[in-house]
Amino acid sequence: MSFMDILALIIPAAIVSAAPLIFTALGGVFSERSGVVNIGLEGLMLFGAFTGAVTIYYGEQFGLNGAAPWVSFVVAMIVGALFASIHAVASISLKADQVVSGVAINFLAAGLAIFLTKKIFNAGQTPVISERISKSNIPYLSDIPVIGKLFFTNAYLTSYLAVFVALIVWYVLYKTPFGLRLRSVGEHPMAADTMGINVKKMRYIGVLLSGALAGLGGAVYVASISGNFTHSTITGQGFMALAAMIFGKWHPLGALGAALFFGLAQAISISGAQIPGLQDIPKVFLLIAPYVLTILALAGLVGRADAPKALGTPYEKGKR
Amino acid sequence: MPNKSNKMKFLVPLISVFLGLLIGGIIMLISGYQPVEAYVALFQGIFGGSYYFGETIRQMSPLILSGLAVAFAFRTGLFNIGVEGQLLVGWLAAVYVGIFVDAPAIIHIPLAVLAAGVAGALWGSVPGILKARFKVHEVITTIMMNYIALYTTNEIIRNYMLAPGERTENIKESASLASPFLQSITEYSTLHFGIIVALIAAVIMWFLLWRTTLGYELRAVGFNQHASQYAGINVSKNIVLSMAISGAFAGIAGSMEGLGTYQYMTINAGFTGVGFDGIAVALLGANSAIGVILGAALFGGLKIGALNMQSIAGVPTELIGVVIALIIFFVACSYLVHWLMNRVNRGGKI
C-alpha cells in the first residue's frame, strides 16, 4: 500500500467524521464567546440527531426523496434552537449555574429523545433511513491532481458545507459589528452594557445559535454516518466537539482545525488496522488522543488556551 | 434571617421534585399515557414489597457515594463532573484486587474497597493538580478524563482480564459484598452490604468537613479563595486534596458495582450514568451528607419504580430520566422557586 493510498483512505474518512463535530463546535463558539458555558452541546446534538432521523423518515414517506435530509437539517436547527432556549432562560434570565443547567440539558435530551422514539416507533430506535446524503465527486475540483483525489473525490457535500459555515462564522464573529458585540459581551459585559449593547439579548442569540448548529451537527451525523437514531448514536461526540472548540481556542477556524484533527484520529482508529505501521499502535491511544491533547492544550503545553473572560458568570446590571 | 434560609433549603428541593413530577405527568398526558396510573405504579414499584425495597437500597449505595463525591468537591468550590470516570477506575481496581489477591474476607473486602478509593483518588487528583498548578478549569478536564477512563479501562480488561462475554472473571468469594442473608429477607433482590459502606462514607464526609481542621480549610477555600490565601491556607494543596477525596468517594462507588451488584466488570460501551446522577443527588441534597442520602433514596427509588411503571402503565422508563433532568433544572433555577414563593406569599397576605 503506497503512501498516497493510505492518505486516500484516511483523509476522506477524517473529513466525514469531522463534519458533525465542526458544526457542533462552531455552535459552542457562539455560546461561549457570548459568555455562556455550554456543556449541553452533547444533549443538543443528540436531540438534533433524533429530530433529523424522525424528519428524514417521515420526509421519505411524504415523497421528499433526496430533499428529505436537507429538510431535516432545517428542522433540526429550529428544534435545536428551541431546546437550547431552555438553557438560555435558565442560565441567562434565571441566573442558574450554567454548568448545572448544561448537565440538565444533557439528561433531558437523552431521556426525552428515547422516550419519544419509543412512543412514536414502539421500538428502541428509529427506522433506518434510505435517503442518506450520498458521496459524490465535486465537479472540476476532483480533477485536480493529488489534491482532487484526496479532498474532492467520494466526499459528502455536508463536509464542505461544514468548512464553508466555519468560514462564515469566522467572518461574522470577527468582521461584523454583530460579532464584535457578541464577543464583547463574553469578555466584559459591563463595559459592553455601558456602550449600549443589550447583554442579555446578545447572550440569548449566542445560546440559540449554538443550539441550532449543534442540532444541525446531530442531524448531519444521522444523514451521513449512522442512518438512524438509537440510544447509542450520540455518545460523546458533543463532548468531543466541546473539546475541539477549546483545543481551537474558542476561535471558529481553530475549532474547524481541531475538529478535522479529531476526525482524523477517529478515522485512523477505525481504519488503522489496514495501514502498515499503524497496526501496531494500540487503538486506545487514538481513541483517547483528542481528550489528552485537549488537557495538554489547556495546561499550556500545546499553546495556551484562554477562555473568554466573562465565561460562566451571569450578568447582573449594576453589580461591581 | 437564618431561619428563612434554612426553610428555603428544604423548600427548594421539595418544590423542585413536585414541579418535576408535575411536568413529567403533563408530558405523559400529552403523549397519551395515564399519569395517575403511572405514578401509582411507580410508588408501588418502590414500596410494594420487600423485593422492591431491597432493589431500591441496592441502587442507593453507588448513588450515595457518587453524590458524596460531587458534594464534597462542591464544598471546596469545585465541580467534579468526572465522577463517572473515577467510578470506572475504582470499579476496575476493586475487581482487580477481588480477582488476583487471596485473603480472608475480613482483609480482602476492605482491601478491595481501599484499592477502588485510591484509584479514584489518583484519577481525581489529576484535574486537581491541573487546576492548582495551571489554573485549568476542572469541568473541562474532568469531562476529558471521563473518556480517557472509559477507553483505558476497556482496553485493560480486553488485554489482561478478559473472560467470555466481554467482561472480567467473577471476583473471589472472599471479596464479595453480596449477602445471601440480605437477599433472602428481601425476596431475593440483589441487595448487598454495600449500603453499609456508603453510609459509613457519608459519616466520614460529614466528620471530615465539619469536625477537622482540614474540613474547615476546604470549606474556607470554597467560600473565598483569596481570603483563605490571605489567612495562610494553602489553596493549591486544598484543591488537590479536595479532588482526591472526592475521587476516592467516586472510586468506592465503583467498588459497589464491582464487589456488590455485578461481581465483575464489563467492557462498557458507554458510561454507567451513576456519576452523572451523582450531580443530581448532590444538588438536591444541598451538598450535605444527610441531604445526599435522602437525594439518593429519592433517585434510587424513582429508578427502580420506573421499571414497574413501564410494565404496568406502559410508560417508557426514560420518562424518569426526564423527571430527574427537570428536578435538576428547578434546583439550579432556585431563583425561579424563590420568585414563585414570593409571589405566593404576597398573594396570601394581600
Side-chain angles (χ1 to χ4, degrees), chain A residues 39 86 90 94 96 99-101 104 107-108 111-112 114-115 118-119 236 239 243 246 284 288 291-292 295 298-299, chain B residues 31 33 79 81 130 134 136 139-140 143-145 147-148 151 155 276-277 283 316 318 322 325 328-329 332-333 335:
Chain A
I39 302 279
I86 304 172
L94 298 177
V99 175
V100 174
S101 165
F107 269 105
L108 191 62
L112 207 55
I114 304 286
F115 175 79
K118 284 187 176 167
K119 173 70 199 163
F239 284 123
I246 296 164
V284 64
I288 64 174
Y291 309 109
V292 174
I295 291 178
L298 282 166
Chain B
S31 28
Y33 298 108
F79 196 167
I81 303 199
L130 287 166
F134 298 105
V136 185
V139 166
I140 306 296
I143 290 175
M144 302 298 133
M145 292 292 285
Y147 285 94
I148 300 176
Y151 294 124
E155 188 71 10
F276 295 119
D277 289 340
L283 271 174
E318 281 74 18
V322 174
I328 307 177
F329 257 120
C333 303
Y335 185 80

Side-chain angles (χ1 to χ4, degrees), chain B residues 10 60 64 281 284-285 288-300:
Chain B
F10 290 105
M60 270 173 72
I64 291 176
V281 168
L284 197 67
S288 71
I290 187 81
V292 163
I293 294 174
L294 293 175
L298 177 76
F299 288 141

Side-chain angles (χ1 to χ4, degrees), chain A residues 11-264:
Chain A
I11 289 184
I15 297 176
V16 171
S17 18
L21 295 182
I22 296 172
F23 286 121
T24 311
L26 290 173
V29 170
F30 269 121
S31 169
E32 304 228 335
R33 275 289 177 175
S34 77
V36 181
V37 177
N38 202 344
I39 302 279
L41 284 179
E42 169 90 2
L44 295 168
M45 198 177 172
L46 187 147
F47 212 75
F50 163 75
T51 313
V54 173
T55 317
I56 298 175
Y57 175 74
Y58 283 109
E60 285 170 356
Q61 309 279 311
F62 284 117
L64 285 175
N65 299 330
W70 299 96
V71 173
S72 85
F73 294 163
V74 176
V75 176
M77 285 181 78
I78 296 168
V79 173
L82 285 176
F83 213 88
S85 68
I86 304 172
H87 182 51
V89 171
S91 54
I92 302 168
S93 295
L94 298 177
K95 303 186 175 65
D97 187 310
Q98 296 170 3
V99 175
V100 174
S101 165
V103 169
I105 285 278
N106 290 339
F107 269 105
L108 191 62
L112 207 55
I114 304 286
F115 175 79
L116 291 174
T117 306
K118 284 187 176 167
K119 173 70 199 163
I120 300 172
F121 299 103
N122 239 331
Q125 73 269 350
T126 66
V128 177
I129 55 170
S130 46
E131 290 294 345
R132 296 201 189 189
I133 297 286
S134 51
K135 289 181 185 175
S136 56
N137 298 347
I138 309 288
Y140 306 115
L141 289 176
S142 58
D143 297 332
I144 302 172
V146 187
I147 300 174
K149 192 181 172 201
L150 292 182
F151 292 98
F152 301 110
T153 308
N154 266 337
Y156 294 100
L157 212 52
T158 44
S159 306
Y160 299 101
L161 187 68
V163 176
F164 184 64
V165 170
L167 291 171
I168 294 178
V169 172
W170 168 78
Y171 182 83
V172 168
L173 275 181
Y174 285 90
K175 300 290 170 197
T176 66
F178 166 79
L180 182 64
R181 285 178 195 144
L182 190 94
R183 285 183 291 129
S184 71
V185 161
E187 293 291 335
H188 202 312
M190 203 199 296
D193 196 11
T194 318
M195 300 302 287
I197 298 170
N198 187 337
V199 176
K200 283 193 173 176
K201 190 178 121 194
M202 292 312 290
R203 288 192 166 177
Y204 263 93
I205 294 173
V207 174
L208 292 191
L209 281 174
S210 82
L213 284 168
L216 176 61
V220 166
Y221 189 84
V222 166
S224 60
I225 299 175
S226 73
N228 73 343
F229 175 79
T230 72
H231 69 95
S232 61
T233 301
I234 302 292
T235 46
Q237 288 93 331
F239 284 123
M240 198 185 268
L242 186 79
M245 176 200 69
I246 296 164
F247 193 51
K249 297 174 188 174
W250 285 269
H251 190 288
L253 300 182
L256 169 69
L260 282 170
F261 179 67
F262 290 174
L264 183 71

